[in-house]
Amino acid sequence: MALEGWEKGSFTAATLTRDTYRKGAGPVVIVVHEIPGITPAVERFADDVVNAGFTVVMPDLVGTAGQEVSGKYIASSMLKVCISKEFTNMALNKTSPIIAWLRALARSLHAEVGGKGVGAVGMCFSGGFALGMMVDDIMVAPVLSQPSLPFSVGKARAADLNLSPDDAVVVAQRAANGCQVLGLRFDQDKLVGHRFDSLRELLGDAFIAIELPSQSPKDHSVLTEQRDEASVQRVLDFFAEKLL
């Protein structure tokens, strides 16, 4: 299912190849989709980023680009995430291997496009990926929307940030040096667990938390399926502040 107006390509790093979708002009923002994939709601958000003056690249990690959400589709994509070695689903204090690929993608795009640096937003299972990408100095606008890996089975996993100890040290130092991190969630979202507490501890005043009152137990996807317009605008403002 082709995404209208998006240029399909691919990127390879360390033997891993994934399709990408690109659109727009200006500084680079990498939009990493949630489960089940690049849905119409994810595309709508990405188009908003394009229209705000950015080159947007969406990696296609699971699912079928453009496909509508359904229960069967969510289950299929969840299974792929659970069995893939690219995502650290349950292990504590580990950085997901896919983040190395995302860092390489960001470096490649920044070398091509230039600018102050790169922005990224992850959602749900990818929600913490921009945090891991902060290991590189070019990541200057990281956004974490409802970060949910590792899956919140038990108290320790519910607080884990999907970072290795070495990466956590680098991320904390970058925060101490002024790199701010924007986080968004619904306050009763059990998939996020206690990660916002962990982010406050790791990042201190550099962590900007947007915590919305949950209206339903199903509230999860701040920027897409349960889209909050004010939060979308806050993300766009954050990218503009850091990148333009």
Side-chain angles (χ1 to χ4, degrees):
M1 300 181 182
L3 302 179
E4 185 176 352
W6 291 82
E7 178 188 356
K8 185 175 181 180
S10 67
F11 182 75
T12 301
T15 73
L16 179 63
T17 300
R18 284 288 178 268
D19 287 341
T20 58
Y21 292 87
R22 177 170 174 165
K23 194 178 193 181
V28 172
V29 173
I30 298 173
V31 174
V32 191
H33 64 76
E34 59 201 339
I35 291 172
I38 303 175
T39 63
V42 171
E43 183 186 6
R44 177 188 176 192
F45 169 76
D47 275 327
D48 289 337
V49 182
V50 169
N51 293 334
F54 300 97
T55 299
V56 174
V57 175
M58 292 191 290
D60 191 359
L61 302 182
V62 295
T64 302
Q67 184 169 328
E68 295 276 1
V69 175
S70 70
K72 183 177 180 180
Y73 185 24
I74 290 173
S76 172
S77 293
M78 178 69 81
L79 178 61
K80 291 176 183 177
V81 170
C82 287
I83 65 176
S84 173
K85 295 180 180 179
E86 296 161 23
F87 312 111
T88 303
N89 305 310
M90 299 297 287
L92 296 170
N93 302 312
K94 286 193 175 182
T95 301
S96 282
I98 192 66
I99 292 176
W101 182 89
L102 288 167
R103 288 171 58 194
L105 175 65
R107 290 193 298 269
S108 175
L109 290 167
H110 185 248
E112 174 195 343
V113 175
K116 296 180 180 179
V118 174
V121 54
M123 317 170 192
C124 182
F125 86 101
S126 72
F129 290 179
L131 193 68
M133 295 170 74
M134 274 178 69
V135 170
D136 293 333
D137 289 344
I138 61 168
M139 178 49 61
V140 298
V143 177
L144 286 56
S145 192
Q146 74 266 10
S148 304
L149 278 189
F151 295 128
S152 299
V153 180
K155 188 174 181 180
R157 289 188 182 88
D160 191 84
L161 295 177
N162 203 208
L163 285 178
S164 70
D166 288 347
D167 286 350
V169 168
V170 177
V171 167
Q173 187 58 56
R174 289 214 58 218
N177 291 339
C179 183
Q180 292 182 311
V181 178
L182 180 64
L184 308 102
R185 70 161 183 167
F186 288 103
D187 61 4
Q188 300 301 312
D189 185 353
K190 297 186 185 305
L191 294 176
V192 177
H194 308 295
R195 290 188 182 90
F196 271 43
D197 294 332
S198 300
L199 287 163
R200 290 186 179 94
E201 182 176 350
L202 179 70
L203 304 172
D205 292 340
F207 181 52
I208 304 168
I210 307 296
E211 299 180 90
L212 306 172
S214 297
Q215 303 298 320
S216 162
K218 294 182 179 180
D219 282 344
H220 174 62
S221 300
V222 177
L223 304 176
T224 56
E225 299 302 327
Q226 289 82 45
R227 177 178 165 120
D228 178 72
E229 295 295 343
S231 295
V232 170
Q233 188 59 53
R234 183 65 185 86
V235 172
L236 298 179
D237 291 344
F238 183 74
F239 287 147
E241 175 189 346
K242 303 300 181 184
L243 298 171
L244 293 179

